[in-house]
Amino acid sequence: MPVQSKICRGAAVLGASAVGLGFVVPQASPSAARAAASTASASPASPAFSPSTGIASCAVAGAVSFAAARRAGARSTRARSSANARAQRVALFARGGEEDTRVCIPLEELRNTDVDKVGGKSASLGEMISQLSDVGVPVPGGFSTTAFAYKEFLDKGGINDFINNQLSDDTIYTDVNKLMEVGKAIRDKIMDTPFQEDFEAELKEQWSRVSGGDDKFTFAVRSSATAEDLPDASFAGQQETFLNVMGYEDLKQKVHLVFASLFTDRAISYRHDRGFEHEKVQLCATCQKMVRSETGSAGVMFSLDTESGFKDVVFVTAAWGLGETVVGGTVNPDEWYVFKPTLAEGKNSVVSRTMGSKLVKMIYKEGGGSEVVDTSEEEQNKWSASDEEVKALAEMAVKIEKHYGRPMDIEWARDGDDGKLYIVQARPETVASQKKVGVIEEYKMLEKGGEKVAEGRAVGKRIGSGKVNILTSIDQMAEFEKGQVLVADMTDPDWEPIMKKAGAIITNRGGRTCHAAIIARELGIPAIVGCGDATDKVKKGDAVTVSCAEGDTGYIYKGELKFEKNVQDLGDLPEVGLKIMMNVGNPETAFSFGQLPNEGIGLARLEFVINNAIGVHPKALLNYDTLDAETKGLIDERMRGYDGPKDFYIKKIAEGIATLAASVYPKRIIVRLSDFKSNEYKSLIGGEQYEPDEENPMIGFRGCGRYTDPFFEECFAMELEAVKIARGEMGLKNVEIMIPFVRTLDMAKDVNEVLEKNGLKRGEDGLKVQMMAELPSNVFLAEEFLEYFDGFSIGSNDLTQLTLGLDRDSGLVAQYFDERNPAVMKGLETLIKAAKAKGKYVGICGQGPSDHPDLAKWLMEQGIDSVSLNPDSVIPTWQFLGKK
């Protein structure tokens, strides 16, 4: 077992603790040892040598003897002479020479400043090994070939002139068939040209150093381009990756294939589109110890939300087996969001979970390579990472982001043998983090109620439409026309030449962190991935609209429906005489809306979370054991990954509240507890057997009346438990609660007793309880109601309806519905004055201020503390209120 070493200014200093072969910081390479020995003998004052300890000379002697023993009899005199000559050049470089002519460099000797030597991937891995290993970011070790070696290979092999001649025809960038011909010709030329002898000798030496000469030792061989993983261009998946590479000959072949992959069709097209000159990009091979995740799990994480650019979360994805299924988009992975501020406080910071289907996994193939196999039913219904592992990964992501000073795109793996987590790659995130500050782009469907053909995971926030073209193979490239909607089982970076022509993209498989999703974001094209059956549900030639503007779920609608795009330049917003908050109930849109200028969320409707994330009547969950098999089946599908019906209901509500609260943290969020009417509860799974038929549910069994009724007591207790989790375990103290439809003072008293009984006493631990003032009785007894609450949040919709005695859902009387009616405004004025007299909070969260900026201005003049607006009204209303 080799001993762990630490690299100090190029010297190898032997440490005491042993580590596995190839992990984190492998022992000094023979070439580095020779270079250090040469440097030390040439310059006794070299920083690599410590006169007081003699450590450097000991390390060199140990490394040389270890390597010599492994190499005994294995290399020719000619190869040794070549290596010795190269060692002299390395020594020259160490003494201040201008060119580093090494053809392979151990990862632990690299830093992020070495992109021009070894490409972005290798440089980043070296940076993390040398700078972050000691702070809890473990990275497998290995080595990298160099740009010098690649240039030497192309020059000596006579390949450069051939490449330049092939790429001189600009028509290849518009003719996909020509592009495929040229790419293949260049790749064949590279593969037909053997490596130079001294490069092969050093490649074998490095393989032996990391593997210990063990032919069963496994490597991952990845591309690392000198123009790769830049802050404004990811080059994600443009070149090749090879896994489970065993033995020197296999590794040499895979390095050769990596070199050729600089000229895949997708890579040629990508560089041209982004203005990179082909001859100025060199390719290196990162040869890294393979993490045994084929019996564990792996995935991708971003240190921000990829869809909105929200920077206070880490977005983690995972699936069983090797991570290429997640990266390549062949699997729909599990997803989590981790909130950074509460992560730093040691709280339960996982604010959102989504279980993917995980239908397949990639494992090692016997004899080398990998294969994709089906997952078991147990694996499909189980999280591929625990909450503790997700939080540990998020902590690593935060450390990596802090070190690099920018949002990062990170690949990770859990070793099935030792159970430990490892970082296998990190590069700058290149899309969400590059969005223009102060400019908001918003897409909105104008035609509502269109027929939904399919749905999946939304990539981006845009909308597109066009005629469907279903492709089953990349060989059909020439059949695809600009502006069509690309539909496929899955896409990978090979499809990039087609993707850039598409009006929208739809796939059966894939998650929001796969290469195809990253490319779609870079191209600014709406994409919906992981639909499962889109290729069956949409037909070639059909007109469809692809909407990614309605949250995390993307919808494919029949026909080309009308939509609009708005771009708002915020500029400098004026000071106004009240706080502008938002009405946000959908956690899937929270991170986007949270970046608008705001003073928090004034209305978060809990029924949105219950309806969309749960979809089951709480009574049905409490009485799960008594349900029929069909209803149980529907519920089982929804609650996969949770420990039973109650756990599912409570945690899903807690996650919804937490996501909303995180989006505006530490600003306040007022969560209105559930206010379903009986007909709405009845529409939930299992609801038919628990809800009454009411003539007018709008003024029936709802709101506070339910909370204090024995029929609903246990259901309401689950809701309150979720609030406690969000405020307590998850640390989101910015959560306040609002009680709707409080008809009488007795109800006000009773509901406070119910809250206290369930561990949510007003005033304890900073908890504020607001009342939704929306009934005439609330107006007439305003001061009395305030004895039981911390303030009013006025619901102008119901207040208008009940003041004017009309049904706002009836088209026959809709013309009379107006919050600016004098009677309604008199009620608003009474509520504001009562709260002000008591020194308590008063805000408004109804539709009125969003629809009528003049009403918002009048409320401001009355001294109201806040108006809560629909997100699309925030900027226009703000600007209106600030006009002099």
Side-chain angles (χ1 to χ4, degrees), residues 569-587:
D569 190 339
L570 301 184
D572 295 321
L573 290 171
E575 291 285 335
V576 294
L578 47 64
K579 292 183 177 180
I580 295 182
M581 304 176 77
M582 299 182 297
N583 301 325
V584 183
N586 183 359

Side-chain angles (χ1 to χ4, degrees), residues 669-878:
I669 168 176
I670 303 174
V671 177
R672 188 182 75 183
L673 300 178
S674 62
D675 193 23
F676 280 123
K677 290 75 174 173
S678 55
N679 60 320
E680 294 167 337
Y681 264 123
K682 186 176 287 191
S683 68
L684 298 175
I685 293 172
E688 283 282 349
Q689 54 189 299
Y690 297 107
E691 292 298 326
D693 290 318
E694 294 189 279
E695 293 297 328
N696 194 340
M698 186 70 75
I699 53 175
F701 188 40
R702 60 175 288 197
C704 188
R706 274 185 180 259
Y707 307 161
T708 55
D709 190 289
F711 165 81
F712 202 73
E713 183 178 6
E714 198 174 356
C715 301
F716 189 53
M718 291 195 293
E719 208 170 302
L720 297 181
E721 182 63 25
V723 174
K724 280 199 300 182
I725 290 172
R727 284 181 49 83
E729 289 178 27
M730 303 175 91
L732 293 158
K733 302 294 187 188
N734 60 328
V735 173
E736 303 175 14
I737 57 177
M738 183 200 304
I739 308 296
F741 233 72
V742 187
R743 292 183 168 102
T744 68
L745 294 175
D746 284 342
M747 273 189 179
K749 177 176 177 291
D750 291 347
V751 78
N752 273 281
E753 291 175 356
V754 172
L755 293 175
E756 186 173 349
K757 176 184 173 183
N758 285 277
L760 288 171
K761 184 178 180 181
R762 182 165 69 95
E764 281 191 1
D765 202 21
L767 175 64
K768 291 185 177 180
V769 180
Q770 314 293 348
M771 186 186 87
M772 194 164 202
E774 54 191 331
L775 307 173
S777 62
N778 302 153
V779 176
F780 299 144
L781 297 174
E783 292 186 10
E784 289 83 352
F785 274 108
L786 283 169
E787 295 298 322
Y788 296 98
F789 299 99
D790 293 297
F792 287 148
S793 189
I794 302 171
S796 63
N797 295 348
D798 276 356
L799 183 61
T800 302
Q801 172 178 248
L802 296 171
T803 299
L804 300 179
L806 53 83
D807 179 356
R808 70 171 188 256
D809 291 336
S810 170
L812 297 175
V813 293
Q815 68 270 28
Y816 302 116
F817 188 92
D818 190 341
E819 292 95 334
R820 295 169 299 177
N821 181 281
V824 179
M825 293 178 73
K826 185 69 173 177
L828 296 174
E829 184 180 10
T830 300
L831 291 168
I832 294 169
K833 284 182 177 178
K836 288 295 179 182
K838 292 275 189 178
K840 296 197 173 186
Y841 166 80
V842 58
I844 188 168
C845 57
Q847 186 67 26
S850 293
D851 290 343
H852 309 295
D854 56 332
L855 177 60
K857 190 166 187 177
W858 178 82
L859 290 164
M860 180 173 70
E861 292 167 352
Q862 303 309 305
I864 200 167
D865 293 315
S866 72
V867 293
S868 191
L869 306 169
N870 297 335
D872 58 357
S873 299
V874 166
I875 302 306
T877 303
W878 198 313

Side-chain angles (χ1 to χ4, degrees), residues 604-611 653 657 671-674 719:
R605 297 180 177 92
L606 208 53
E607 52 268 24
F608 198 104
V609 175
I610 295 170
N611 191 51
I653 292 177
I657 293 172
V671 177
R672 188 182 75 183
L673 300 178
S674 62
E719 208 170 302

Side-chain angles (χ1 to χ4, degrees), residues 227-240:
E228 182 178 60
D229 298 347
L230 303 176
D232 57 354
S234 73
F235 286 78
Q238 297 307 313
Q239 288 80 228
E240 297 295 350

